[in-house]
Amino acid sequence: MLIQFSVENYLSLKEKVVLSMLASNDTEHIEHLITSKKKESYLKAAVIYGANASGKSNVLNAFWFMVNYVLTSHEKQLHKPIDRIPFKFDKATLEKPSSFEVIFTIDDIRYVYGFSATDKEVVEEYLYYYPNGRQAIIFERKNTNEYRFTVDVDEQMTLRDRTSANKLYLSVASNWNYKKVVPVFGWFASCKILTKNSVADAYGVDAEQLRDDEYRSVIEAMLRVADFGIQSLQIREVENVKRLAKTEEEYINIDAIHLVQDEDGNTHPFALNMTEESDGTNSYFKLVGIVKNVLDKGGLLVADEMDAHLHPLLMKHLVMLFNSETYNPNGAQLIFTSHNTNLLDLDVFRRDQIWFTEKDEKCVATDLFSLYDFSVRKDAKVEKGYLIGRYGAIPFIKEGLL
């Protein structure tokens, strides 16, 4: 599970910002926590609020960049630039590296992985773990080509020679199946990220799985809870499906079955293709398959504006699935951005689960901070306090042009 993510000099994130999933001393909603075998507690969910252009999406985009570069940099051609985007409103930061770090656990063993990169090369990279409670080095990389290994030295020296300046050693070593880093690479691969940079296609993810009766019945139940009028789903064979216009190869073979009562009081089933359903229905349908998979496997879901097109009560329902002991027994985690202030409720979230972004008016850099940083009473009306600016992170509407 994710413990902490930090980033520096990427997009609007000039100085280092830290998003922590480590639980605070807040004693409310203990069921919202994951407790490890070592008695450490982590948050099941976190939400980020902020004004438009305050940088909340950039926090998630930075995480996406890190994950994507770990998963793909071994494929990068020699001398190809690294597509990082530094903070652009300061000439000094343009040439400085962008830095990323995650702290997470795999099977209750803590790992720390991070790297710093310019447009041309990876200047620093490291991977530590704590198998016996003490830090052990898997590898360290400094000044692009200076490495330090303490285990499997001969094997790692060979992998080092295969790692060009614009590639991550973790990515290359995983591609060559080096056993010490494969679990770490697998953790990155397990992260589900929904941002403008990486949008999952529900049909591509779920269409084949929906042929499984048990899986489909769960998705149908989640759709019925949402009160869309959908009672069940029907999967048609490809050869009988009308071709749709998105791509030459794409077929949508999922129908939603609605039960409609006629004038005589008789109920009849009607099939409506999912492409004909509303944006809200499709947004929810795209999410529930991913949510189910993450809850089943105990993974991490990161989603930008997850509640777009969704009724506030539906979003609240999805959040409560993650915070639940019953529906989230495997320690799945959710991090998302939102403008839905109905969720700013201490009956829905703990104080340390609520985060804000605010952009400095002078240097235009993003700051990230938690509601837990404020002296907020357990019975506080957080939504009201947020909207009147008590915690910052809201737009300042200037007079004129109205």
Side-chain angles (χ1 to χ4, degrees):
M1 67 196 74
L2 178 67
I3 300 175
Q4 179 178 294
F5 168 65
S6 60
V7 56
E8 181 179 350
N9 191 27
Y10 186 78
L11 296 172
S12 64
L13 307 164
K14 180 183 180 183
E15 305 297 333
K16 182 178 179 179
V17 299
V18 178
L19 176 65
S20 176
M21 299 295 281
L22 184 66
S24 68
N25 293 325
D26 193 335
T27 58
E28 297 296 302
H29 297 302
I30 300 302
E31 71 278 8
H32 292 192
L33 302 180
I34 306 162
T35 303
S36 71
K37 293 178 182 178
K38 297 178 181 178
K39 306 303 180 183
E40 296 172 325
S41 296
Y42 311 108
L43 303 174
K44 292 179 179 177
V47 60
I48 305 174
Y49 286 89
N52 292 107
S54 65
K56 59 185 180 298
S57 294
N58 288 343
V59 176
L60 304 193
N61 286 331
F63 184 74
W64 173 84
F65 174 85
M66 183 181 197
V67 171
N68 185 64
Y69 206 59
V70 167
L71 298 181
T72 64
S73 75
H74 65 276
E75 302 171 347
K76 206 164 189 65
Q77 294 181 1
L78 197 63
H79 304 307
K80 286 287 184 179
I82 298 171
D83 299 324
R84 62 106 193 199
I85 306 174
F87 183 79
K88 292 186 175 181
F89 294 104
D90 186 336
K91 292 180 180 179
T93 58
L94 292 175
E95 300 301 322
K96 287 184 178 180
S98 300
S99 300
F100 308 82
E101 182 185 83
V102 285
I103 304 173
F104 57 96
T105 64
I106 303 173
D107 297 330
D108 264 337
I109 297 176
R110 180 175 294 202
Y111 288 81
V112 178
Y113 172 72
F115 67 86
S116 299
T118 64
D119 296 339
K120 297 179 179 179
E121 58 189 6
V122 177
V123 296
E124 181 184 19
E125 188 181 4
Y126 51 88
L127 177 61
Y128 310 120
Y129 74 138
Y130 298 75
N132 301 306
R134 291 186 176 183
Q135 178 180 289
I137 297 171
I138 297 178
F139 69 83
E140 286 182 336
R141 177 186 187 182
K142 295 182 179 179
N143 300 319
T144 304
N145 296 315
E146 297 176 10
Y147 288 81
R148 180 188 177 197
F149 306 121
T150 58
V151 293
D152 306 321
V153 175
D154 290 342
E155 182 178 3
Q156 292 209 74
M157 291 289 281
T158 300
L159 295 170
R160 177 204 65 180
D161 294 340
R162 293 169 175 159
T163 306
S164 58
N166 62 346
K167 295 179 181 179
L168 294 174
Y169 175 81
L170 173 62
S171 183
V172 173
S174 299
N175 189 51
W176 287 93
N177 206 32
Y178 173 49
K179 62 183 184 300
K180 287 285 188 181
V181 301
V182 166
V184 175
F185 187 87
W187 182 86
F188 280 100
S190 72
C191 297
K192 304 297 182 186
I193 305 175
L194 306 178
T195 71
K196 65 180 181 180
N197 293 319
S198 172
V199 179
D201 180 356
Y203 304 111
V205 171
D206 297 326
E208 287 306 310
Q209 294 181 73
L210 286 170
R211 296 184 185 279
D212 179 82
D213 292 340
E214 183 178 350
Y215 178 85
R216 188 174 66 254
S217 68
V218 174
I219 300 300
E220 289 170 342
M222 295 177 82
L223 290 171
R224 286 194 293 271
V225 166
D227 196 27
F228 294 126
I230 298 173
Q231 298 302 309
S232 61
L233 297 171
Q234 175 180 286
I235 314 302
R236 291 183 284 166
E237 294 304 318
V238 171
E239 55 266 27
N240 297 325
V241 178
K242 177 182 177 183
R243 186 182 295 273
L244 298 175
K246 286 186 181 179
T247 67
E248 291 276 332
E249 298 81 17
E250 183 178 23
Y251 297 89
I252 302 303
N253 59 338
I254 304 171
D255 289 337
I257 307 303
H258 295 256
L259 297 180
V260 182
Q261 199 172 77
D262 63 22
E263 295 178 354
D264 298 324
N266 300 313
T267 301
H268 304 278
F270 288 88
L272 193 65
N273 191 269
M274 283 302 297
T275 60
E276 299 175 276
E277 294 283 355
S278 71
D279 287 344
T281 300
N282 271 286
S283 294
Y284 188 78
F285 178 69
K286 289 177 180 180
L287 281 173
V288 292
I290 298 170
V291 166
K292 172 177 165 43
N293 287 335
V294 172
L295 290 173
D296 286 348
K297 297 175 182 178
L300 170 65
L301 173 58
V302 175
D304 189 20
E305 296 188 9
M306 184 174 173
D307 49 4
H309 305 297
L310 291 185
H311 191 280
L313 292 178
L314 285 181
M315 191 60 231
K316 182 178 179 180
H317 172 68
L318 291 177
V319 168
M320 295 186 76
L321 289 178
F322 278 87
N323 280 333
S324 166
E325 292 178 312
T326 302
Y327 296 104
N328 185 9
N330 297 316
Q333 292 176 293
L334 169 67
I335 300 172
F336 69 104
T337 64
S338 181
H339 288 293
N340 175 9
T341 59
N342 290 323
L343 296 174
L344 283 171
D345 186 331
L346 295 183
D347 289 331
V348 178
F349 284 114
R350 291 160 49 97
R351 287 169 291 184
D352 51 8
Q353 291 182 290
I354 299 172
W355 292 76
F356 303 105
T357 54
E358 189 168 58
K359 189 173 284 187
D360 185 283
E361 287 190 7
K362 294 182 179 179
C363 70
V364 207
T366 294
D367 189 19
L368 175 68
F369 49 93
S370 170
L371 180 65
Y372 189 75
D373 297 334
F374 296 84
S375 298
V376 177
R377 300 192 318 271
K378 295 178 181 180
D379 61 347
K381 302 297 182 184
V382 179
E383 179 182 21
K384 180 179 178 181
Y386 172 67
L387 291 175
I388 64 175
R390 187 167 294 162
Y391 317 118
I394 60 171
F396 178 70
I397 312 298
K398 299 179 175 65
E399 294 183 3
L401 298 180
L402 198 65

